[in-house]
Amino acid sequence: MIIRNSFLTILAAHPAHGYGLKSSFEASTGGAWRLNAGQVYSTLSRLERDGLIQSSEADSPERRSWSITDDGQAAVASWYDTPVDNRSNRDELVIKVLVAVAAGERDMDRVLQTQRAATMRRLQEFTRHKIAAPPDSELPDLMLLDAMILRAEAEIRWLDQCEQRLQASAAS
Amino acid sequence: MTSTHQTEPTLSLVDASRLHGEGPQAVRALGPVSLDIFPGELVAIMGPSGSGKSTLLSLAGALDRPTEGKVLIEGRDLADLSLAELAALRRRVIGFVFQDLNLLPGLTALENVALPLELDGSPLEETRTRALEELERVGLKDLAHRFPDNLSGGEQQRVAIARAFVGPRHLLLADEPTGALDSVTGEAVMRLLKSQCARGRTVVLVTHDAAHAAWADRVLFLRDGHIVDETVAIDSTGATQHGLPGQVQQNPAQHSQPQPLSPV
Ligand SMILES: Nc1ncnc2c1ncn2[C@@H]1O[C@H](COP(=O)(O)OP(=O)(O)OP(=O)(O)O)[C@@H](O)[C@H]1O
Ligand SMILES: [Mg+2]
């Protein structure tokens, strides 16, 4: 759905060939997500089937230029109007810690500490990218880095909080 | 890069502990802790409240003495120094920055920065020049004549950093310097500290904020007065700035290149 909606959003701005769509998508996401040709063309054919895009006639799929239909425009508007629901509670780390606690693991400190050190190294690595980034870096690159840094930071805070809760519950 | 150091550490703790009180009632605020911090390093200390972070900084800055073990600054054992020598060390080598109340309200930014030099008996003209130089380095030359009340929190911290490094001072001990700042301003302070280290100055900072700690070359985790873990950042050549065999848990092969970012 993300690829589908992203293609529609790009096509709402201007018509494009399949390869152009792939490049625009990859550039706007700071290179975080690479697409293969199969994904691109299967997405396009589904969008066409649903009447959200249309194309010029051409002898091969690569040469077709795609443009958005009115229904496609409406689909983009409704994507913008719908907040993303990111409330997954199946984060592997969270589940791992919860299962370990429920199993009565005595050395939770070790589990938490190992993860905290690994996450801190990840955070250091992202921060190195940020330090190395030239001031005129592409906006998507910086915004992507911010997202990854904040996520890692949240993970560390959560681990700290787990440790404190476990200590408090052991003391009571 | 090899893991052995040719240079002398700026700061060393050797089995240093700080106990409060005596006998079975004694509270162990810190230790025993051993560590070496080298010129040009930015080291962050993290840990829960009461884990001994501020105690460690106080020992490092000769504000307090270890009850066991040693603290060395540039190879000199602080226990061997007279009070006058310790005071001189604080004027010429060590600067402090705290979370707030760093500046004297009755003095301008420039006068605040010049203060350690003045106390050290430098000629007035020279203290002014050096202080202005240092303010320029933190990007605040234009605000030199403002009083602290008329500076933002972030600007005040930059003045405090300028003062901590004015003249010959080159070791900064900072206790939660970003604690009272929003995250963007805090990041600007970290960037400034990083650039000071690139000039060969050394920074030890206590922070609760993992995103700020990640600017450091090394992050030490304290628990109940002990260092329980340490993470070392990898530079772009794949080498750790300071190899510490045995203390560092990482897989160099896995971290040798900055990896392209991938969605999580
Ligand atoms: N003068 C004192 N007498 C007795 N205990 C003390 C004294 N000073 C500090 N402590 C204890 O030493 C421990 C370490 O204190 P310290 O101030 O170094 O912690 P911290 O890590 O800086 O905490 P915070 O994050 O809250 O600033 C604490 O348990 C504290 O209660
Ligand atoms: Mg403290």
Side-chain angles (χ1 to χ4, degrees), chain B residues 18-21 26-30 45-58 64 99 175-176 206 208 222 224-225:
Chain B
R18 179 64 169 101
L19 281 78
H20 294 282
V27 176
R28 183 175 287 271
L30 185 75
I45 298 172
M46 295 192 77
S49 196
S51 58
K53 305 180 297 294
S54 297
T55 303
L56 194 158
L57 276 197
S58 302
D64 191 6
Q99 181 168 338
D175 204 344
E176 304 195 41
V206 167
H208 282 287
L222 276 189
D224 301 325

Side-chain angles (χ1 to χ4, degrees), chain B residues 212-235:
Chain B
H212 293 160
W215 283 73
D217 303 304
R218 283 196 276 158
V219 184
L220 308 179
F221 294 89
L222 276 189
R223 290 285 177 283
D224 301 325
H226 297 279
I227 297 173
V228 292
D229 209 343
E230 170 171 3
T231 69
V232 179
I234 314 288
D235 71 23

